Amino acid sequence: MDKVQEILKNLKQNHIIEYMKTLSHSEIEKLNEQLERLDLSVININGKEEKRGKFSPLLAVTLDEITHNKEKFTDIGLDAIRKRKIGAILLAGGQGSRLGFEKPKGAFNIGVNREIYIFECLINNLLEVTEKAGVYVPLFVMTSIENNQETKDFFREHNYFGYSKENIWFFVQEQLPAVDTDGKLMLAEKDRILTAPNGNGGWYASMEKTGMLEIVRDLGIEWLNVFAVDNVLQRIADPCFIGAVIDSGKVSGAKVVAKAAPDEKVGVLCLEDNKPSIVEYYEMTEEMLKSRQSDGTLSYNYGVILNYLFRVDKLNSTLSVKLPLHRAFKKVKYMDTSENVHNPEEPNAYKFETLALDMVKLQENCLAYEVDRRKEFAPVKNKKGIDSVESARELLKLNGIEL
Ligand code: UTP
């Protein structure tokens, strides 16, 4: 028995060994090659959450405090941008399965009477800053094997939405196998195991593997602003945010929004064993959910919106740390061993993902920076309802963006 077969057998993946018997020599070789490269050990992860430490509240710099210091923070931020110390990372490797859009999520047209794409909204927001600063912010776009070419083509066909092509780099994140509800490997094609992007926490490690960190070093970038593709109101390289974090002397910052209600289902920035951390809504006790500060605000009040600022030297020291892998149950197109292709309507497979929020836990401290959700938080996750195309359109209109 060869090495790959032995590994498959140990992992109770005999269905793949059996299936391989039906394939041609060249197909077996291709499958073997892929299996040798893949980290198959992840499929044993059962998704049981890691043991958590002691939580305590982390208060945010509030909207009022920010307004009061706006000029000072903005000046500090613009100065750092002008000195080219700030880089931006667009996380666009996700599969957007909830939206059910075949192309890269950023290529989605959020317009109604005209075409305006998600990528375009983000670049427009960034251009507002670069025009003010008079320099471009180096922008790194994380894609996946699946959407890399399409993403690059889309940017090129749209002339980089007016951004400077010389200041954009694309890099591909890594893949991990996905499994069905019985923990079994699945097929993507006749001679290819189904894999999925390894989550948004892998961005810094992927930047290293793809040579992007050399560019970061060569350009002298000291801070990286990492953000999700699907918040169309996102402020990128926001000078006021950058300035507030630098001024605070902290090594990282997170944009947060006040919860709409005490039981809103968002991850909340807090302290865990005195280190910055994010507690998920389902991990909070009744007491934590209800607890209030002396001024009446909720103690666990500030939800994260996937817009973080990290100091590069501190990120370097996290490269050797393995981030925890989480299981996410998602809709995934696959081929069964009789070679029928299925495009399920409901979640059918577990993906294994590292999360950007786990990088926050590796930082000594983090500035929670409050933003107005009506101005900066319009996530496009679903087709309809909450965090949907519809709700994002309403918020875009509210902010004067013509659709
Ligand atoms: P989500 O957690 O919403 O995942 O991503 P998703 O894959 O885009 O969407 P669903 O859950 O299948 O509907 C949050 C952000 O992280 C990025 C996404 O592109 C988005 O900006 N992401 C997610 C990656 O870059 N890589 C990943 O592996 C996962």
Side-chain angles (χ1 to χ4, degrees):
M1 193 184 295
D2 68 23
K3 209 174 98 207
V4 168
Q5 290 209 4
E6 207 171 310
I7 294 171
L8 287 173
K9 199 161 172 245
N10 287 339
L11 290 169
K12 301 193 174 62
Q13 302 295 325
N14 297 37
H15 65 298
I16 299 291
I17 301 175
E18 288 307 308
Y19 171 69
M20 279 164 104
K21 289 179 187 162
T22 67
L23 298 180
S24 71
H25 185 69
S26 65
E27 287 164 345
I28 295 175
E29 236 173 51
K30 203 169 155 218
L31 211 49
N32 265 333
E33 244 174 62
Q34 186 200 10
L35 284 163
E36 268 170 28
R37 274 183 286 113
L38 273 182
D39 180 2
L40 294 175
S41 66
V42 301
I43 65 180
N44 279 334
I45 288 167
N46 58 16
K48 288 213 179 79
E49 294 305 321
E50 55 198 304
K51 200 169 162 341
R52 306 299 300 256
K54 188 175 175 324
F55 293 116
S56 53
L58 174 64
L59 302 182
V61 191
T62 61
L63 287 172
D64 281 349
E65 288 167 293
I66 292 166
T67 309
H68 190 71
N69 289 293
K70 194 164 182 209
E71 217 173 297
K72 177 176 113 181
F73 291 158
T74 306
D75 285 347
I76 298 172
L78 279 175
D79 182 58
I81 292 169
R82 289 197 181 109
K83 290 185 175 140
R84 304 261 291 171
K85 288 184 181 171
I86 312 295
I89 320 290
L90 165 54
L91 300 175
Q95 294 181 303
S97 61
R98 282 170 286 175
L99 185 62
F101 180 59
E102 286 286 310
K103 296 180 187 164
K105 209 182 210 179
F108 187 83
N109 175 19
I110 194 94
V112 180
N113 299 316
R114 63 166 180 145
E115 282 178 9
I116 176 162
Y117 303 98
I118 291 182
F119 282 138
E120 189 174 358
C121 292
L122 299 178
I123 296 289
N124 284 347
N125 294 351
L126 182 56
L127 278 169
E128 276 181 32
V129 175
T130 59
E131 273 158 21
K132 210 165 166 192
V135 293
Y136 284 105
V137 170
L139 174 66
F140 300 87
V141 183
M142 183 165 88
T143 63
S144 67
I145 289 180
E146 248 171 82
N147 71 18
N148 181 55
Q149 196 54 50
E150 236 180 316
T151 303
K152 288 202 293 197
D153 290 347
F154 196 75
F155 268 86
R156 202 191 48 249
E157 281 155 20
H158 292 88
N159 205 16
Y160 300 85
F161 304 104
Y163 210 70
S164 129
K165 179 182 159 204
E166 286 70 38
N167 282 282
I168 305 187
W169 291 264
F170 295 88
F171 67 101
V172 180
Q173 71 173 110
E174 282 133 85
Q175 299 276 121
L176 285 172
V179 293
D180 67 13
T181 47
D182 296 321
K184 302 293 181 205
L185 288 169
M186 301 159 86
L187 295 170
E189 287 172 77
K190 200 168 179 190
D191 49 10
R192 194 160 59 86
I193 294 290
L194 185 82
T195 62
N198 67 347
N200 57 33
W203 64 275
Y204 200 66
S206 294
M207 283 185 81
E208 185 193 39
K209 291 207 174 86
T210 53
M212 293 296 127
L213 289 192
E214 258 177 69
I215 299 170
V216 167
R217 255 190 310 273
D218 289 349
L219 292 174
I221 294 171
E222 292 179 10
W223 295 87
L224 290 173
N225 179 202
V226 58
F227 61 97
V229 70
D230 45 20
N231 172 8
V232 281
L233 280 180
Q234 185 111 249
R235 309 306 304 175
I236 302 141
D238 173 354
C240 194
F241 173 46
I242 294 166
V245 177
I246 295 177
D247 187 61
S248 72
K250 295 201 160 45
V251 301
S252 66
K255 284 203 166 188
V256 293
V257 291
K259 284 205 281 195
D263 57 354
E264 195 191 353
K265 292 182 171 142
V266 290
V268 167
L269 190 59
C270 64
L271 294 173
E272 180 180 354
D273 296 335
N274 282 324
K275 296 283 278 301
S277 181
I278 283 119
V279 58
E280 293 298 340
Y281 67 92
Y282 52 82
E283 295 175 309
M284 278 199 254
T285 59
E286 264 311 291
E287 198 191 326
M288 284 168 81
L289 285 170
K290 287 192 180 139
S291 161
R292 288 185 187 267
Q293 300 296 119
S294 51
D295 66 358
T297 51
L298 289 167
S299 300
Y300 296 90
N301 193 32
Y302 297 105
V304 283
I305 59 169
L306 220 176
N307 188 319
Y308 301 108
L309 187 68
F310 292 106
R311 224 169 80 181
V312 173
D313 58 341
K314 297 291 171 182
L315 283 173
N316 289 340
S317 60
T318 66
L319 274 174
S320 53
V321 181
K322 254 194 154 185
L323 289 175
L325 275 170
H326 303 259
R327 269 196 337 178
F329 196 39
K330 304 228 180 172
K331 269 188 292 191
V332 183
K333 185 175 163 187
Y334 72 101
M335 177 185 259
D336 64 26
T337 47
S338 312
E339 293 172 10
N340 302 309
V341 175
H342 301 264
N343 218 338
E345 293 288 320
E346 295 299 324
N348 62 315
Y350 289 104
K351 289 187 192 175
F352 300 94
E353 301 188 326
T354 58
L355 301 179
L357 57 83
D358 282 319
M359 293 189 81
V360 176
K361 286 167 91 175
L362 303 176
Q363 309 301 312
E364 289 149 37
N365 46 45
C366 180
L367 184 82
Y369 176 98
E370 189 186 3
V371 298
D372 181 345
R373 64 196 300 151
R374 286 163 312 160
K375 291 190 183 148
E376 296 202 26
F377 191 44
V380 183
K381 298 285 183 194
N382 306 300
K383 272 189 199 144
K384 288 199 156 77
I386 297 170
D387 297 345
S388 67
V389 175
E390 284 171 352
S391 60
R393 279 185 179 143
E394 285 311 309
L395 284 161
L396 282 167
K397 280 193 235 159
L398 195 77
N399 283 278
I401 295 162
E402 233 176 85
L403 297 177

